Amino acid sequence: MLNREQLWPSLAQQEWDIVVVGGGITGAGVAREAARTGLKVLLIDQKDYAFGTSSRSSKMVHGGLRYIAMGDIKLTKHSLVERERLLQEAPGLVDRMSYFFAHYQGGGIKTNRWAFAILLMAYDFLAGIKDRSYFNAKKFLARVPNYRSQKLLGASRYTDAVTDDTRLVLRVLDEAVKDGGVCLNYVKAEKSIMQEGKIVGLHVVDEVTGQRVSLKTKTVVNATGAWVNRLRQQIAPETVSVRPQRGSHLVVSAERLPLQDALILFHPDDQRAMFIYAWEGRTVIGTTDLDHKTDLDDEAVITAEEVNYLLRAANHEFPTAKLTTADVIATFSGVRPIVSSGKGLDPSKERRDHAVWADNGLISVSGGKLTTFRQIAQDVLTAAEPWLPSIKQREQKAAIFSQAANLKTPFDAAQERRFIGKYGYLAGQFLQEMPADELVFIPETYTLWAELRWALRYEQVVHLDDLLLRRSRLGLLLVDGGLHHIERIKAIALAEGWTESYWQSELARYQSIWQRYYSLPQGLK
Ligand SMILES: Cc1cc2nc3c(=O)[nH]c(=O)nc-3n(C[C@H](O)[C@H](O)[C@H](O)COP(=O)(O)OP(=O)(O)OC[C@H]3O[C@@H](n4cnc5c(N)ncnc54)[C@H](O)[C@@H]3O)c2cc1C
């Protein structure tokens, strides 16, 4: 990506076909699909790329077994088709993972082995694969040691996929840029400009410098997730209700809770479905599902009740683990913009599908899933056709990702797969430019030191939290947010142009953000 300072002056000097507001997975997908049609596309985010829900999801690329159980066949089918496509196109970034569901004597119909087998058969059928099996208790306990074994009959295995959500967003953005799209973070859309009842522009502000400009554009795509009504209500006669729901996760060390798969379980208190799963060499416990009543402009944060609720579930499934708050490395919470049924349903029962609204050239989109971003992007572009007739004939099924040319890397096969999955067509340039002594992994992680340098140079890192929470995930994976590596991180940042005083203020900012939003709540520390 070009750097922000280079891009900003040119924004107001041209007419855009589409300005995409929101740099989460939805906006990234729209920018990617629009850029390939040859349109002039600009994407902006008021904060960092993936700052919203797209860095705080459960990171599953999945059909969602619970959606099929709820009878939502359409959403499940769409998601499964997209899952299979992403597995094909982005190995190393989106990878298949085994999911287990344990069966117990006297568990009732909800946990009945045969009922579950029928569900899995339908799930695999919709995906067009056959990848499921049954593990007896002994075999299952060998795979998942210390799992609750009393009255255990065995476990059903099926597969879904897992990703790094922020790297998925960045790789999609890289593809948009490759096709001529322009992306800029820390630029906020303030107000639409209307002429003769149609959108013709957008007032935006650079949140770093405070400068304001007016952009000219034929359409605006409002992909602002939970914030969707803010832009839309400026011009739409009425807006539908978007119900923000918070989901929180705990990250614990794999030594304390060793796992190579994902487990699906029902919480002992309320029988809600939850997951415990392996991610980036750690174990994640999630998620809660609660109406989110705090200000959307404040980052979502886990409460003490949620921490205890999640720990209770983990300790119920792994009775000998005896996890406590001392085992929590980090926490993260995201807000799901559920397009509300208005029926006052239990949060877990609201549908997860997306909705698109077209209002005089402002196309708004909200809801949906990480998994279905390509399909959502196509629906958005279809809604934009009246203002952009040239896209009617577009290719709708083309590959999202271009592939890396044949590369010689210094990594073993698994590491190479991950590396190419993350950087795609840029992997070759990465290897050419990055110092050889940084092509080694940061202790206890699968992240290269060179990834930090690359991000600082090419991925519009403005703040240290961009680098440690979204370009890399060190802040979620390392104790104290990675502070024990801070001297080496500082050396890289200074070599890439940061000044000592900027570093000091960024370090203070990062520590405060990490303490407040990514560690345990006050009272549990
Ligand atoms: C707890 C949880 C777990 C989930 N797990 C999964 C999962 O495992 N798999 C899955 O497929 N889906 C999952 N989802 C759903 C998925 O994460 C979301 O559907 C998806 O991330 C939404 O992306 P988005 O781009 O629409 O919104 P966001 O990622 O929130 O992006 C919106 C962006 O708009 C920006 N913005 C807002 N206002 C403005 C403005 N005025 N100007 C400029 N920018 C603005 C924000 O800064 C933000 O970056 C989960 C959701 C939650 C909450």
Side-chain angles (χ1 to χ4, degrees):
M1 284 181 209
L2 287 177
N3 71 37
R4 301 181 71 263
E5 293 73 25
Q6 279 171 292
L7 291 170
W8 174 258
S10 65
L11 296 192
Q13 288 164 7
Q14 48 200 311
E15 185 183 14
W16 301 96
D17 292 312
I18 299 190
V19 175
V20 181
V21 183
I25 191 65
T26 306
V30 172
R32 196 276 161 272
E33 292 300 314
R36 81 158 86 243
T37 67
L39 293 180
K40 289 183 77 173
V41 180
L42 169 68
L43 176 142
I44 56 173
D45 196 291
Q46 64 181 356
K47 306 255 184 189
D48 190 25
Y49 302 122
F51 171 84
T53 313
S54 299
S55 57
R56 305 151 195 271
S57 77
S58 301
K59 294 137 195 23
M60 290 173 184
V61 173
H62 63 161
L65 206 53
R66 75 165 150 160
Y67 309 131
I68 198 175
M70 285 159 71
D72 205 336
I73 306 291
K74 188 173 137 232
L75 178 61
T76 314
K77 165 96 184 156
H78 281 161
S79 307
L80 287 169
V81 168
E82 294 303 317
R83 180 193 77 187
E84 290 304 304
R85 171 192 260 272
L86 287 165
L87 280 164
Q88 285 280 323
E89 277 196 38
L93 178 61
V94 179
D95 283 317
R96 215 177 271 286
M97 181 156 75
S98 287
Y99 283 57
F100 286 92
F101 180 74
H103 305 287
Y104 290 89
Q105 271 170 29
I109 184 70
K110 226 174 155 184
T111 69
N112 179 275
R113 172 184 170 181
W114 302 109
F116 206 75
I118 292 169
L119 205 61
L120 292 187
M121 203 192 308
Y123 199 61
D124 269 4
F125 173 76
L126 291 175
I129 63 164
K130 189 167 177 216
D131 194 0
R132 58 187 190 275
S133 51
Y134 186 78
F135 279 41
N136 64 27
K138 190 169 165 220
K139 193 172 162 199
F140 176 57
L141 288 173
R143 175 94 166 213
V144 186
N146 304 325
Y147 203 69
R148 180 163 59 96
S149 58
Q150 214 185 9
K151 297 193 178 173
L152 177 69
L153 296 169
S156 298
R157 185 196 71 92
Y158 67 102
T159 61
D160 257 319
V162 68
T163 190
D164 176 342
D165 45 8
T166 64
R167 293 308 317 183
L168 181 65
V169 171
L170 285 159
R171 192 153 168 215
V172 175
L173 288 175
D174 282 338
E175 294 294 337
V177 169
K178 183 164 186 272
D179 279 351
V182 173
C183 302
L184 223 75
N185 54 359
Y186 292 100
V187 174
K188 179 177 183 176
E190 292 191 307
K191 198 165 177 1
S192 319
I193 305 170
M194 305 295 289
Q195 223 172 55
E196 294 166 8
K198 180 197 163 316
I199 212 158
V200 292
L202 197 60
H203 295 298
V204 302
V205 57
D206 181 335
E207 295 282 42
V208 179
T209 63
Q211 290 173 0
R212 290 189 153 75
V213 291
S214 304
L215 307 177
K216 289 197 267 312
T217 183
K218 296 194 178 94
T219 57
V220 172
V221 170
N222 170 14
T224 54
W227 294 267
V228 68
N229 278 339
R230 296 221 177 139
L231 263 188
R232 192 168 176 242
Q233 67 202 7
Q234 292 174 7
I235 67 165
E238 53 189 51
T239 52
V240 295
S241 150
V242 174
R243 184 177 174 183
Q245 288 173 10
R246 184 176 67 250
S248 300
H249 306 77
L250 304 177
V251 182
V252 300
S253 92
E255 279 87 59
R256 291 290 287 117
L257 203 56
L259 207 56
Q260 48 180 313
D261 308 292
L263 305 171
I264 177 166
L265 51 107
F266 292 118
H267 196 287
D269 293 358
D270 56 10
Q271 299 301 305
R272 262 192 63 253
M274 299 181 33
F275 296 101
I276 302 180
Y277 54 99
W279 183 68
E280 296 285 320
R282 305 290 180 275
T283 300
V284 178
I285 307 165
T287 164
T288 54
D289 216 344
L290 299 161
D291 280 318
H292 182 68
K293 302 219 164 96
T294 47
D295 185 354
L296 284 177
D297 287 333
D298 203 8
E299 282 193 55
V301 61
I302 196 166
T303 61
E305 290 73 33
E306 287 175 278
V307 173
N308 291 328
Y309 174 90
L310 294 172
L311 284 177
R312 244 183 349 267
N315 283 327
H316 183 257
E317 300 308 309
F318 292 90
T320 56
K322 303 205 181 331
L323 291 179
T324 69
T325 50
D327 296 305
V328 175
I329 297 173
T331 68
F332 60 97
S333 299
V335 177
R336 217 186 273 276
I338 301 288
V339 181
S340 174
S341 64
K343 293 179 190 155
L345 292 178
D346 177 277
S348 299
K349 301 224 162 75
E350 290 277 17
R351 292 191 78 235
R352 267 35 176 182
D353 222 347
H354 63 280
V356 178
W357 306 272
D359 308 291
N360 307 317
L362 175 73
I363 318 299
S364 300
V365 52
S366 196
K369 295 167 63 184
L370 197 70
T371 311
T372 48
F373 73 89
R374 192 198 62 86
Q375 188 60 53
I376 297 175
Q378 287 303 337
D379 290 351
V380 167
L381 291 182
T382 300
E385 284 173 5
W387 296 275
L388 300 165
S390 71
I391 61 172
K392 275 192 186 149
Q393 308 304 327
R394 72 188 179 279
E395 163 66 89
Q396 295 204 26
K397 298 251 156 87
I400 301 158
F401 300 110
S402 48
Q403 301 301 326
N406 275 343
L407 277 183
K408 268 208 164 56
T409 75
F411 310 125
D412 70 26
Q415 292 165 349
E416 179 172 292
R417 186 181 152 93
R418 284 175 61 87
F419 171 69
I420 293 177
K422 264 189 199 173
Y423 293 99
Y425 73 90
L426 293 165
Q429 186 191 344
F430 186 112
L431 289 179
Q432 265 171 16
E433 274 190 38
M434 293 296 111
D437 65 348
E438 289 180 4
L439 297 178
V440 289
F441 293 95
I442 299 172
E444 304 165 71
T445 74
Y446 303 129
T447 306
L448 302 167
W449 287 106
E451 292 183 37
L452 304 181
R453 187 180 294 281
W454 175 268
L456 284 156
R457 200 175 288 176
Y458 291 118
E459 293 182 340
Q460 293 182 4
V461 170
V462 173
H463 295 293
L464 188 57
D465 44 289
D466 302 341
L467 186 66
L468 300 185
L469 291 168
R470 288 171 293 276
R471 299 302 176 284
S472 76
R473 314 312 298 270
L474 299 181
L476 298 182
L477 300 172
L478 294 173
V479 173
D480 287 335
L483 281 188
H484 51 293
H485 290 309
I486 214 68
E487 284 309 315
R488 183 148 180 199
I489 297 169
K490 176 182 176 184
I492 296 174
L494 264 54
E496 290 301 315
W498 286 26
T499 61
E500 176 69 32
S501 64
Y502 190 65
W503 169 264
Q504 290 305 337
S505 67
E506 282 301 313
L507 182 57
R509 174 189 149 112
Y510 172 64
Q511 284 178 286
S512 138
I513 288 174
W514 191 85
Q515 284 294 343
R516 185 143 178 226
Y517 303 109
Y518 294 90
S519 81
L520 289 166
Q522 285 301 338
L524 290 185
K525 287 192 210 267

